[in-house]
Amino acid sequence: MTDQEDAPAQAPVAPETPAQKALRMKQARIDARPKPPRGGRFQSEQAAGIAAGASRPWTHK
C-alpha cells in the first residue's frame, strides 16, 4: 500500500477567475479601512446622517 491510496480523493481546485480575484482584493481593501467608533451618540448621529438637533436649530437656545 502507498500513501496515495490511503488519502481521500480531493476535488481539483479550479483556478481563480479575474472577477473572483478582483472581488477578493476589493473585500480586502474594504476590510483594511479604518472603522468608525461603535456605540453611543456618535453611532446614532452617523446612522441618521446628521448631527442630533441640527435639522431644527430653532429648538436650541
Side-chain angles (χ1 to χ4, degrees), residues 5-53:
E5 293 177 87
D6 294 335
Q10 295 179 353
V13 178
E16 189 176 47
T17 65
Q20 289 172 327
K21 180 180 177 182
L23 180 61
R24 180 177 49 81
M25 293 175 72
K26 178 181 177 181
Q27 293 297 330
R29 282 193 308 271
I30 290 172
D31 292 340
R33 277 195 230 161
K35 306 287 188 278
R38 295 178 56 98
R41 181 177 175 184
F42 178 84
Q43 188 175 15
S44 63
E45 288 177 3
Q46 290 297 310
I50 56 170

Side-chain angles (χ1 to χ4, degrees), residues 41 45 50-60:
R41 181 177 175 184
E45 288 177 3
I50 56 170
S55 62
R56 292 181 276 171
W58 60 89
T59 61
H60 297 286

